[in-house]
Amino acid sequence: MTPRGDDDPAAGHARDLLRAATRYSGARCLALCLVSIAATGAGLLLPAALGQALDLLLAHAPATRWVLCCAGLVLLLGLLDAVQTVLTGTVDARTTAWLRRRLTRHVLGVGPRAADRFGSGDLVARLVGNAAEAGTTPAARAALVAALAGPVGGVVALGLIDWWLAAVFLAGAPVLALLLRAVSRDTSESAARYQRAQGRIAAALAEAVEGVRTVRAAGTEGRETARVLRPLPDLSRAGHRMWRVQGRAAARAVAVAPLLQLAVVAVAGVLLTRDRLSVGEVLAASRYAMLATGVGVLVGRLAGLARARAAARRLGEVGTEPATVYGARGLPDGPGRLELRGVTARRGGRTVLDGVDLDVPGGTTLAVVGRSGAGKSLLAALAGRLADPDAGEVLLDGVPLRELPHEDLRGAVGYAFARPALLGGTVGQAIGLGLPSPSPGLVREAARTALADDFVRRLPDGYDTPVADAPRSGGESQRLGLARAFAHGGRLLILDDALSSLDTVTERRITDALFGDGPGATRLLVAHRGATAACADAVAWLDGGRVRAVGRHEELWRLAEYRAVFGDGGPDGTDTDAEAVFGNGGPDGTDADDGGSRPVPDTPDGTSGESDVTGTKGRSGADAGDGALT
């Protein structure tokens, strides 16, 4: 059962959205309404003019002026119809574009929560198909006024000819009113079902397209096609129901309307025999009876409005997801100290992070490790406010992220991801994304740091090569994403598994650049390789949604459960495959192939060995550098 509008937040958002969209095209909607009413008025004048001309012709009186009047009204109707068509198309296009801009901004403002709730495919279906249908609402409402004016004007004209004619018609009017009400109700319900089925197909198709290589490799094309098209029977049933609703309405209209018209004409004939009407008035009465029973036009208008209303409600559902609200507190100067205080985050009814406390001093590097599903990526998202915790708070240089303005927050925090989305027209623009005015020198320097400059220069137009025309591997895409993060700068750099597709040599060279001489930004690194964790000042080990321990990698490596995070270490705690975890290095980060040792980077204050990055017990006195469990 569909909730009442007063109890349905989505319906409320839909109404507000359509009101704003109507105001956006208000002048054109008013012009369309006036043109439609003018066309209806001309249509109402034409039967009277035809009747008058006929009476004059039958009386052998001069009728040239009335004949010309009829011709002029026909030409005016054609002109107004053309203007109405142009205005309707213009209003529909403007409103649809406005809705798509408004909803796109909202979805981007909501962030990942929107895709988590609706799915990317369903969101695309709403922003493309449903926005187009909802965009017809202002024009349809404006035209509906004229569509209602036709029957009302027809009844009034019948009353002016003779009140008996209006009375006969009004006797059957309640049947038409009930018919129109049923059409509107049934069409809304079936249209909503149809659009929901469309959204499910779009969501499944988006998933299949994204994983097309996996599908091909598994040889499950047929099974995947069946999965994508599984909602097709629901779509078919809803579509057939819509057509049945409109078909029944048309059939009833065909049954009711001619009876009313026949009744009006019959009474007009009786009045003609009694000399109360002329032949021309009988002709006019028959035409006005057709206008008064114009159910077909009203059925079409109401069905279109019902579909548009159902589509607008789906847009309203997106609007119920609140956009991220930013504060107005400025970010003070600082080294980029990151704090998580009692952070709890839930996803899908499951607590992924539970009371996490971390303190990352400015200029240091914290590697976050843990088994799959431990919450590493979620913690990385919370650290830069790509998501908000359900409890607790995240602070940057003492200021809660919720209180920072959008510009300050995004300017202070840079991100690199495992699968970066390379947005922008060219490769250079993709690297400089988000910067107010990225200079070519800054872009190239960032690319060199990410070891991307060589392969970018080999592209047909170098940094001016369109992204779509730049062939690249997964590792090269990651390097471009890293280059974008390096170009961004800021006081906090978050790498969410951003080195996973790199070969061992490239990863070592980038980590040397990342953790070596640099601007001293604080770095939070989601790591899956022991070699990467060994480069960090400290490691936060997530297990079961909590921080199991914080300490140096070589200290934590003594624990068999920690080694098992990297797929190493048997039940007895022995190191069975250190090279698989560290590349060619051991747990202390030394490289067995270069003939020398590669010490763990020093902390910013020049000391080596112990870390200033603390967990819950680190702040209460325990030294995280000693591998204290928290």
Side-chain angles (χ1 to χ4, degrees):
M1 180 176 178
T2 303
R4 291 175 54 87
D6 295 341
D7 304 326
D8 186 2
H13 277 277
R15 286 194 298 270
D16 294 341
L17 197 63
L18 291 178
R19 288 194 199 103
T22 303
R23 286 194 299 269
Y24 175 72
S25 297
R28 286 178 172 81
C29 286
L30 179 60
L32 176 60
C33 185
L34 294 176
V35 169
S36 300
I37 291 175
T40 301
L44 289 170
L45 289 175
L46 183 58
L50 287 171
Q52 186 66 31
L54 178 60
D55 285 340
L56 291 173
L57 289 172
L58 290 175
H60 302 288
T64 303
R65 185 174 62 180
W66 286 102
V67 171
L68 291 175
C69 180
C70 292
L73 287 172
V74 171
L75 290 174
L76 180 61
L77 281 170
L79 177 62
L80 291 174
D81 183 66
V83 174
Q84 186 178 0
T85 301
V86 172
L87 282 174
T88 300
T90 302
V91 172
D92 288 351
R94 280 175 55 87
T95 307
T96 299
W98 184 87
L99 286 172
R100 286 173 177 164
R101 286 196 300 269
R102 174 81 171 260
L103 267 296
T104 300
R105 282 198 300 268
H106 182 74
V107 168
L108 295 177
V110 171
R113 291 197 318 274
D116 292 340
R117 176 179 173 183
F118 300 103
S120 57
D122 189 33
L123 277 177
V124 171
R126 292 172 191 252
L127 296 178
V128 177
N130 295 148
E133 277 197 290
T136 63
T137 303
R141 286 176 174 172
L144 184 63
V145 174
L148 290 171
V152 171
V155 174
V156 172
L158 287 174
L160 292 175
I161 294 173
D162 193 284
W163 67 272
W164 273 105
L165 301 178
V168 169
F169 179 84
L170 290 175
V175 178
L176 293 176
L178 291 174
L179 172 63
L180 294 174
R181 184 174 181 274
V183 169
S184 178
R185 182 188 64 246
D186 295 343
T187 302
S188 296
E189 181 183 353
S190 56
R193 292 180 180 177
Y194 188 86
Q195 291 162 3
R196 285 196 296 269
Q198 279 183 319
R200 291 198 298 271
I201 291 176
L205 180 60
E207 293 173 359
V209 170
E210 185 177 358
V212 64
R213 290 187 297 178
T214 301
V215 173
R216 291 291 300 276
T220 57
E221 292 90 342
R223 188 186 310 168
E224 199 60 21
T225 300
R227 184 184 72 86
V228 172
L229 299 180
R230 191 172 298 146
L232 200 57
D234 292 338
L235 185 73
S236 177
R237 283 191 292 269
H240 280 85
R241 177 172 172 75
M242 276 197 297
W243 288 115
R244 283 196 300 270
V245 167
Q246 296 184 41
R248 283 197 300 267
R252 291 166 183 167
V254 168
V256 175
L259 290 176
L260 287 175
Q261 294 170 16
L262 183 60
V264 169
V265 172
V267 172
V270 172
L271 295 175
L272 175 64
T273 61
R274 297 180 179 180
D275 294 327
R276 289 179 56 176
L277 295 181
S278 66
V279 175
E281 288 175 326
V282 173
L283 173 64
S286 66
R287 298 287 299 176
Y288 285 128
M290 292 180 62
L291 289 173
T293 56
V295 179
V297 176
L298 282 174
V299 166
R301 296 293 185 192
L302 289 174
L305 274 174
R307 291 193 298 270
R309 193 162 54 241
R313 188 185 179 282
R314 283 174 57 79
L315 300 182
E317 289 175 354
V318 179
T320 60
E321 193 69 30
T324 302
V325 178
Y326 295 90
R329 182 176 173 182
L331 186 64
D333 293 336
R337 180 183 180 183
L338 177 67
E339 299 173 77
L340 281 74
R341 298 178 179 174
V343 168
T344 296
R346 303 178 184 89
R347 291 296 182 270
R350 181 174 70 93
T351 300
V352 181
L353 296 176
D354 187 9
V356 172
D357 288 284
L358 283 174
D359 190 342
V360 188
T364 63
T365 300
L366 176 70
V368 180
V369 305
R371 293 182 179 275
S372 177
K376 303 182 295 297
S377 290
L378 180 55
L379 187 147
L382 296 172
R385 211 191 171 195
L386 296 184
D388 286 325
D390 295 286
E393 61 181 357
V394 183
L395 300 91
L396 183 61
D397 284 323
V399 180
L401 297 187
R402 293 177 184 269
E403 299 180 12
L404 291 176
H406 179 266
E407 294 77 12
D408 287 7
L409 175 62
R410 297 279 70 92
V413 183
Y415 267 98
F417 303 99
R419 292 190 294 175
L422 299 175
L423 308 176
T426 66
V427 172
Q429 291 171 351
I431 294 175
L433 184 72
L435 298 178
S437 55
S439 65
L442 176 64
V443 168
R444 289 189 176 89
E445 180 59 31
R448 280 193 288 269
T449 304
L451 303 183
D453 182 66
D454 288 343
F455 82 80
V456 171
R457 288 181 180 275
R458 291 195 298 270
L459 295 173
D461 296 311
Y463 287 89
D464 295 325
T465 303
V467 173
D469 299 335
R472 58 194 181 275
S473 66
E476 288 169 339
S477 294
Q478 276 198 346
R479 279 184 270 170
L480 291 176
L482 286 165
R484 181 170 60 202
F486 295 155
H488 179 276
R491 63 183 73 183
L492 174 62
L493 179 60
I494 300 174
L495 307 183
D496 185 1
D497 201 18
L499 307 175
S500 59
S501 295
L502 303 181
D503 61 85
T504 306
V505 174
T506 302
E507 179 183 3
R508 176 63 61 84
R509 292 174 62 188
I510 289 179
T511 53
D512 286 344
L514 184 64
F515 303 137
D517 295 333
T522 305
R523 293 168 289 266
L524 182 70
L525 181 68
V526 174
H528 290 83
R529 297 179 182 174
T532 307
C535 295
D537 297 315
V539 176
W541 174 16
L542 290 183
D543 186 25
R546 296 176 178 272
V547 178
R548 176 80 173 270
V550 177
R552 299 285 299 215
H553 175 71
E554 59 269 25
E555 296 290 336
L556 297 176
W557 187 257
R558 300 170 184 170
L559 303 175
E561 290 178 298
Y562 179 79
R563 295 197 300 274
V565 170
F566 302 98
D568 195 35
D572 59 356
T574 58
D575 182 358
T576 60
D577 192 2
E579 186 172 336
V581 179
F582 293 100
N584 293 327
D588 59 354
T590 58
D591 190 340
D593 284 351
D594 61 9
S597 63
R598 181 177 177 274
V600 176
D602 293 341
T603 54
D605 62 1
T607 62
S608 177
E610 294 186 352
S611 171
D612 292 330
V613 184
T614 64
T616 306
K617 291 188 177 178
R619 284 212 305 267
S620 63
D623 188 351
D626 293 332
L629 299 184
T630 60

